[in-house]
Amino acid sequence: MASLNVGNLGEYLREQRRNAQLSLRQLADAAGVSNPYLSQIERGLRKPSAEVLQQVAKALRISAETLYVRAGILDAERDRDEVETRAVILADPSLNERQKQVLLQIYESFRKENGFGVGEPAAREGHAAERTEGAEVPGDTAERGIRTAGGSDAGPRQTAG
């Protein structure tokens, strides 16, 4: 088979697998892919799908976005800051998986609020994207006031007197 110019990805995966002290077979089992297929990816003979890269990244406990960039799925220059931010969040050992996912959702909501869609720089448009009506954005509760159990905004408290 001819190389599909994914050698950089394969070399990186091999390095990450060795750093994690996993055999090829162990990583293949953890990622849910066949041993020969993973071997071909590492040798640059196969270009895996985004789904396979996500499974491998999860098994290695590394950023799937980093693998997407190395595989050419994401544009490295345009998405570098976002990828690095996501990688730092995902690599933080003090956070559990649920906390990492929540933090990534908050990060993405702020990016969208500031005019950055998924992989879309706001500078291209020159203005922030409009907020979707009724969209709940983390952090907004401080601006609107505290919500009561009944769903209404709590205004200033009045005292009898």
Side-chain angles (χ1 to χ4, degrees):
M1 276 185 175
S3 176
L4 298 173
N5 197 22
V6 290
N8 186 27
L9 170 66
E11 291 168 19
Y12 181 75
L13 279 177
R14 182 178 294 121
E15 178 183 328
Q16 294 303 308
R17 177 177 57 80
R18 288 179 177 162
N19 288 342
Q21 298 180 339
L22 293 172
S23 70
L24 191 64
R25 185 175 309 276
Q26 288 171 321
L27 178 57
D29 288 344
V33 297
S34 74
N35 188 32
Y37 181 61
L38 185 59
S39 174
Q40 291 173 346
I41 294 169
E42 281 194 0
R43 290 181 288 141
L45 301 176
R46 295 276 184 159
K47 183 174 182 180
S49 68
E51 292 80 15
V52 169
L53 288 175
Q54 185 174 19
Q55 291 169 235
V56 171
K58 186 175 180 181
L60 287 171
R61 296 182 175 269
I62 61 173
S63 164
E65 287 84 1
T66 301
L67 296 184
Y68 296 160
V69 169
R70 290 186 179 267
I73 295 171
L74 289 178
D75 179 12
E77 290 300 316
R78 190 179 74 184
D79 298 325
R80 179 170 288 142
D81 290 341
E82 180 184 1
V83 168
E84 288 176 358
T85 301
R86 289 175 174 274
V88 168
I89 292 169
L90 291 169
D92 189 333
S94 66
L95 301 174
N96 64 38
E97 291 303 314
R98 185 189 63 78
Q99 291 168 331
K100 290 176 185 180
Q101 291 307 313
V102 169
L103 192 53
L104 288 172
Q105 289 172 352
I106 292 168
Y107 171 68
E108 188 59 36
S109 72
F110 284 145
R111 284 179 50 81
K112 287 179 183 176
E113 180 179 342
N114 293 333
F116 290 80
V118 178
E120 295 179 16
R124 185 185 72 191
E125 297 295 327
H127 63 281
E130 292 182 28
R131 174 185 277 166
T132 304
E133 184 64 31
E136 184 70 26
V137 177
D140 276 358
T141 55
E143 294 173 18
R144 290 189 316 232
I146 300 168
R147 302 287 274 183
T148 64
S152 63
D153 284 323
R157 294 183 185 216
Q158 296 178 352
T159 57

